[in-house]
Amino acid sequence: MAKQISLSQYLIEKQREKNLIPAELRLLLEVVARACKRISYAVGKGALTGVLGAAGSDNIQGEAQQKLDVIANETLLEANEWGGHLAAMASEEMDHPYPIPNRYPKGEFLLLFDPLDGSSNIDVNVSIGTIFSVLRLPEGVSEPLEHHFLQPGSNQLAAGYAVYGPSTLLVLTVGDGVACFTLDRETGSWWLTCDGMSVPEDTKEYAINASNSRHWFEPVQRYVADLTAGKTGPLAKDYNMRWVASMVADVHRIMTRGGIFMYPADRREPDKPGKLRLMYEANPMAFLVEQAGGGATNGRERILDIQPTKLHERVAVFLGSKNEVVRATRYHEGG
Ligand code: AHG
Ligand code: MN
Ligand code: MN
């Protein structure tokens, strides 16, 4: 029987043999994985420990926080603040960055996360997850401030997501392809279950919240009309549609069997381009999808090239199978 590879072993190989990541980044990723494991256990206990339901507070996006949003945020903060690898953290659930407390040593990395993605699915027992992104604090900076986080996604050193579904998975990139680890919930170990994940270039599956179609701009309306027109339409293909409403679950399906995921900008809030957040949702997912051979744009430009201007900035997202993302992007050029 082939020998199983643990997450630690996988990362040590990236550090020692391939010299791709420094030891501090490896340790940081192990701590993030440990926090995801804890979140997975909290999610798994569900109603037994009273973690379901609303927290009774709102986040900076004006969204009602669920108890698990808050628990997951605190779990990630507590796990990561003392290790000495980080300069600061930023999260969907916190208005401003969280500096590492003075009582702990500080490192050179910045960690950003969506602690609990897919909050509307918590109480209905559908897959949810955690998304994270690692940047480096710019050189010469001793006190990390919000603007130090505002780096394009192409600067990411690592990114990943955990899916809390039928099994708990961790999908990770350090810029050398994408690997997937499955949590053995009895022993608490992460094991490599898929290396070199690859998104098929073509697809017959799309994901979009079609209930918003009346708000979409013309290019998206035209593109989705062509997708739904099927074999006798201009794309000459019958497409299938899936929408979990947890980005992690939708993206994981696409990482596994291809597809295109879309959350476009629409007419409702002209000053907010789309619903998803650039820094801790779109950027890490775009990095992962590109590392698996797929594409990711905002309909016009590559997501990883966007220069962020705000920590909680929103962005339109089209990501997944490369040829389909190119096609969706072409509709925005009027072609
Ligand atoms: P979050 O729970 O972190 O706020 O993210 C939810 C996001 C994303 O996971 C999902 O793709 C999208 O919201 C679903 O939006 P709709 O409810 O509009 O379908
Ligand atoms: Mn989210
Ligand atoms: Mn969230």
Side-chain angles (χ1 to χ4, degrees), residues 92 114 116-118 131 247 276-277 281:
E92 177 191 346
D114 174 356
L116 209 293
D117 177 65
I131 309 171
M247 190 190 198
L276 300 176
R277 281 59 52 118
E281 289 178 318

Side-chain angles (χ1 to χ4, degrees), residues 28 80-81 83-89 100 105-111 134-135:
L28 164 59
N80 284 287
E81 67 178 0
H85 319 302
L86 284 175
M89 292 180 257
I100 297 302
K106 292 179 191 52
E108 57 176 323
F109 301 111
L110 301 170
L111 177 67
V134 181
L135 293 166

Side-chain angles (χ1 to χ4, degrees), residues 29-283:
L29 293 172
E30 297 221 34
V31 177
V32 172
R34 205 176 306 143
C36 290
K37 193 192 309 180
R38 267 187 222 146
I39 297 169
S40 167
Y41 291 148
V43 167
K45 292 274 183 192
L48 298 178
T49 47
V51 295
L52 305 184
S57 48
D58 283 355
N59 66 16
I60 191 170
Q61 347 263 340
E63 296 161 347
Q65 288 176 309
Q66 302 297 301
K67 285 185 202 163
L68 270 173
D69 287 323
V70 177
I71 292 168
N73 193 59
E74 281 168 5
T75 303
L76 280 154
L77 291 179
E78 280 169 19
N80 284 287
E81 67 178 0
W82 50 268
H85 319 302
L86 284 175
M89 292 180 257
S91 157
E92 177 191 346
E93 304 303 340
M94 300 185 298
D95 299 5
H96 302 291
Y98 177 92
I100 297 302
N102 280 332
R103 60 184 181 280
Y104 300 122
K106 292 179 191 52
E108 57 176 323
F109 301 111
L110 301 170
L111 177 67
L112 297 99
F113 44 83
D114 174 356
L116 209 293
D117 177 65
S119 304
S120 72
N121 282 322
I122 295 172
D123 287 358
V124 292
N125 201 29
V126 171
S127 295
I128 50 182
T130 296
I131 309 171
F132 63 93
S133 160
V134 181
L135 293 166
R136 197 188 296 280
L137 185 68
E139 219 153 299
V141 176
S142 52
E143 201 160 315
L145 300 170
E146 190 158 322
H147 69 267
H148 297 125
F149 283 84
L150 304 182
Q151 306 178 34
S154 53
N155 280 12
Q156 290 172 104
L157 302 170
Y161 60 81
V163 193
Y164 312 118
S167 40
T168 293
L169 304 178
L170 182 73
V171 176
L172 182 71
T173 185
V174 291
D176 182 39
V178 182
C180 177
F181 302 84
T182 303
L183 179 66
D184 181 332
R185 287 168 175 157
E186 276 149 37
T187 62
S189 312
W190 294 101
W191 297 105
L192 181 67
T193 42
C194 176
D195 204 359
M197 289 185 93
S198 141
V199 179
E201 286 196 342
D202 292 296
T203 185
K204 287 181 167 189
E205 207 158 66
Y206 67 95
I208 193 166
N209 183 344
S211 71
N212 296 326
S213 60
R214 69 193 179 285
H215 305 297
W216 295 338
F217 293 110
E218 190 274 335
V220 176
Q221 290 200 341
R222 197 155 37 88
Y223 174 52
V224 176
D226 287 354
L227 291 173
T228 48
K231 246 195 179 103
T232 53
L235 306 184
K237 257 203 256 190
D238 285 335
Y239 283 80
N240 187 25
M241 199 202 83
R242 287 285 183 271
W243 184 252
V244 181
S246 291
M247 190 190 198
V248 282
D250 281 309
V251 170
H252 189 67
R253 183 187 59 254
I254 288 168
M255 293 289 287
T256 308
R257 68 174 189 214
I260 180 166
F261 171 92
M262 298 176 266
Y263 213 116
D266 64 40
R267 293 195 186 88
R268 282 173 295 178
E269 292 180 278
D271 55 324
K272 287 183 188 155
K275 175 180 184 183
L276 300 176
R277 281 59 52 118
L278 174 62
M279 303 287 306
Y280 41 79
E281 289 178 318
N283 270 343

